[in-house]
Amino acid sequence: MQLTRFTDLGLRTMMLLAAGEAGQQRITTRSIAVGANASEHHVAKAVTRLAELGMVNTRRGRVGGLYLTDAGRQASVGWLVRRLEDDREVIECDGADPCPLVPACRLRRALAAAKEAFYRELDEYTVSDLTRDTGLLVISGPKSGPGQPPDPQPTERTVR
């Protein structure tokens, strides 16, 4: 099963936020986009969906950023992928050009069972599990504070 880029960005966002908490880092949409080599607009869409799901809180402004919620720390990866993928079918049998084999086909059922096995396995993990003690590379956004100009480039460091 191949996940969409949208889901990939959502999972990366969650993992970076979980790892960033260990290092008390401020993570922004821009820093995630730079680190994931994605457009900031595409990352913002994923962040919006994560916020709708209650996985992250967002704060705008100079001291803004993204923060995991308690639900975001505890949600299973399977639950999250189901919501980001909209639990779509692995294969499209119906639609504008329906498959002529549908009446006698067992592939659809086999693929549905495989998809559920995939999700069941992902249900065994939380985002926090995926980032615990991994040495995950964390990408932080511009650093600024009172009297300091913002750093124009995101920085990278490894959380251990």
Side-chain angles (χ1 to χ4, degrees):
M1 183 169 163
Q2 183 172 351
L3 301 178
T4 62
R5 178 73 167 149
F6 179 79
T7 299
D8 176 42
L9 290 173
L11 290 171
R12 288 174 191 247
T13 297
M14 295 293 288
M15 291 175 67
L16 285 168
L17 292 172
E21 285 183 340
Q24 300 297 313
Q25 291 189 307
R26 181 174 72 105
I27 307 289
T28 64
T29 301
R30 173 175 285 154
S31 64
I32 293 167
V34 168
N37 196 27
S39 79
E40 193 171 343
H41 180 72
H42 203 161
V43 172
K45 283 183 177 181
V47 167
T48 297
R49 180 69 177 130
L50 292 171
E52 290 169 356
L53 292 170
M55 301 291 101
V56 300
N57 283 327
T58 61
R59 185 180 307 157
R60 293 178 157 244
R62 195 165 166 228
V63 294
L66 308 172
Y67 307 91
L68 276 181
T69 63
D70 287 337
R73 283 181 210 89
Q74 297 169 6
S76 78
V77 175
W79 181 91
L80 186 57
V81 170
R82 280 182 188 92
R83 295 330 177 272
L84 294 173
E85 288 287 318
D86 289 327
D87 203 19
R88 62 190 173 90
E89 294 296 323
V90 176
I91 191 169
E92 184 59 47
C93 299
D94 303 316
D97 295 316
C99 176
L101 302 173
V102 168
C105 184
R106 293 184 183 149
L107 178 61
R108 188 180 206 171
R109 188 176 314 146
L111 289 174
K115 180 178 81 169
E116 283 311 308
F118 174 76
Y119 285 142
R120 258 193 319 277
E121 183 63 26
L122 291 177
D123 283 336
E124 298 295 318
Y125 303 94
T126 65
V127 172
S128 296
D129 292 336
L130 299 178
T131 59
R132 190 176 298 125
D133 302 323
T134 62
L136 180 69
L137 179 66
V138 175
I139 301 173
S140 63
K143 292 182 177 105
S144 62
Q148 286 183 318
D151 184 1
Q153 295 296 320
T155 58
E156 299 178 354
R157 73 179 188 85
T158 302
V159 175
R160 299 240 185 247

